[in-house]
Structure formats: structure tokens, C-alpha cells
Amino acid sequence: TRAGNVVGGGDWAKDRIIPDCMRAWSKNKIVDIRSPSATRPWQHVLEPLSGYLALGQRLYNEENINGESFNFGPSSQHSHTVEDILRDMCKYWNIKNPSKAYQITDDIPFHEAGLLKLNCDKALFHLKWLPTLNYKQLIEFTGTWYFKYYKERVNMFDYTYMQIDEYENISFKQGIEWAR
């Protein structure tokens, strides 16, 4: 299985745009951005996880897809630039002026593809798997999670469980097959 450009609360990896920003913003620091125009199909971590679970269930029930590869990713409307996602994430951190959150720099030596996309047709066709959250929801889920962790100090186990429950409810209301 493969999932690309996954964001969501609890990601602490170094040199990843969202965790780096969340750490910096929690200390009221500005982040250096090297590729603001890079476009990615962003998805919340619960999206590919729902796909992995749907695939696991299918593999358990049927062997005809054993050994097949699957991509799990968002619809094309979720492709936004790095600058878009940061500007939108600022709202959930009460940052009114994005220039106080990030600055664009070209002195970081790093090559990055301008546009990335995954072809998820196979997962859609064989597993009837669909992403659940729209772009606004993935920003809200992610930005709010980190804000609650860094600024409000809530019980993150309970909050994460609540987000999973909310995700399942949204999926159920949309009639997504795995949520039935």
C-alpha cells in the first residue's frame, strides 16, 4: 500500500512541513519555507488508515487480490500548494498575519518535485474506498489537534478518539461503504 502527503495530529517527524510549523508556532517562531509553490494532494492520516483497514478486511475475506498494490489518496480537489496549506492552517492557530507564521527562503539546498499525485483508481474500483474529508475538514482536524496539544493541553488520547469518532460519523453520513 502507499499513501502520500499524509498530515494529521501526532506526526512529530523532522523536516516535514506540518510538524515543523506546529513546533515553531508553539514557540511563536517563524518557519522558513523552501518550496511554497510545491503542490501536493494533502490527506488526513485517517484517510489512508481507513483504506488499509478496508484492504485488510478484503484480504481476510477473499484471496483474489493477495499481492496486489494499492494507493490511497485524496481526490484531485485536495491538491494545494505548501503556502495554501500553511495559510489555511494559520487560522486554527489564531495567526491573522501569515508573515508572522512563515517566510519563504531560497537558501535551503533541497530539490523537490513541483507536483505530486497518486493514482487511486484501483482502490476506488476494487475496494469501493473513497476519501471522506474535504480540504477544509483535513485542515481543521490537523490544525485543531496540534493547537489543542500545544496550547490547550487537553487529553490527547480522548481528543484523538473523538476525532476518529467524528471521522467515522462523517463517513457514515456520506454512505461510504466501509463505514456501513
Side-chain angles (χ1 to χ4, degrees):
T1 60
R2 176 175 155 76
N5 303 294
V6 177
V7 298
D11 183 354
W12 309 113
K14 188 175 179 341
D15 297 327
R16 286 181 40 91
I17 190 67
I18 300 301
D20 288 350
C21 285
M22 299 300 111
R23 278 189 289 273
W25 296 354
S26 73
K27 298 172 186 168
N28 297 317
K29 293 186 177 179
I30 295 174
V31 178
D32 289 331
I33 303 302
R34 64 178 176 260
S35 301
S37 299
T39 302
R40 304 287 180 260
W42 307 102
Q43 64 179 327
H44 191 272
V45 65
L46 293 175
E47 301 285 28
L49 289 178
S50 71
Y52 297 164
L53 291 171
L55 177 59
Q57 182 179 17
R58 180 78 179 271
L59 286 168
Y60 180 77
N61 293 329
E62 304 173 29
E63 290 191 18
N64 66 340
I65 60 169
N66 191 19
E68 295 287 330
S69 59
F70 290 88
N71 292 328
F72 297 98
S75 61
S76 59
Q77 297 94 331
H78 279 47
S79 290
H80 293 274
T81 67
V82 168
E83 191 166 16
D84 288 341
I85 199 167
L86 295 184
R87 186 183 59 245
D88 294 337
M89 200 71 66
C90 282
K91 296 171 190 167
Y92 291 94
W93 275 73
N94 302 317
I95 300 172
K96 308 250 186 287
N97 183 353
S99 69
K100 305 253 186 241
Y102 61 89
Q103 62 187 4
I104 299 165
T105 182
D106 58 2
D107 63 353
I108 301 173
F110 191 83
H111 173 71
E112 221 163 347
L115 173 66
L116 295 179
K117 281 198 169 237
L118 286 176
N119 183 341
C120 303
D121 292 346
K122 194 172 176 181
L124 298 172
F125 180 77
H126 291 287
L127 304 174
K128 307 297 185 246
W129 176 84
L130 291 167
T132 298
L133 302 176
N134 62 39
Y135 176 74
K136 184 179 181 221
Q137 290 168 316
L138 90 88
I139 295 295
E140 181 180 355
F141 268 52
T142 304
T144 303
W145 194 98
Y146 282 108
F147 189 82
K148 293 212 176 275
Y149 174 81
Y150 281 115
K151 298 295 185 178
E152 295 182 0
R153 306 283 186 189
V154 303
N155 179 316
M156 294 316 293
F157 180 85
D158 291 343
Y159 189 76
T160 301
Y161 188 83
M162 185 274 311
Q163 279 194 332
I164 293 168
D165 191 49
E166 185 177 351
Y167 177 78
E168 289 175 339
N169 287 332
I170 293 167
S171 302
F172 182 78
K173 287 177 185 170
Q174 290 179 12
I176 294 176
E177 190 163 315
W178 65 260
R180 295 180 197 176

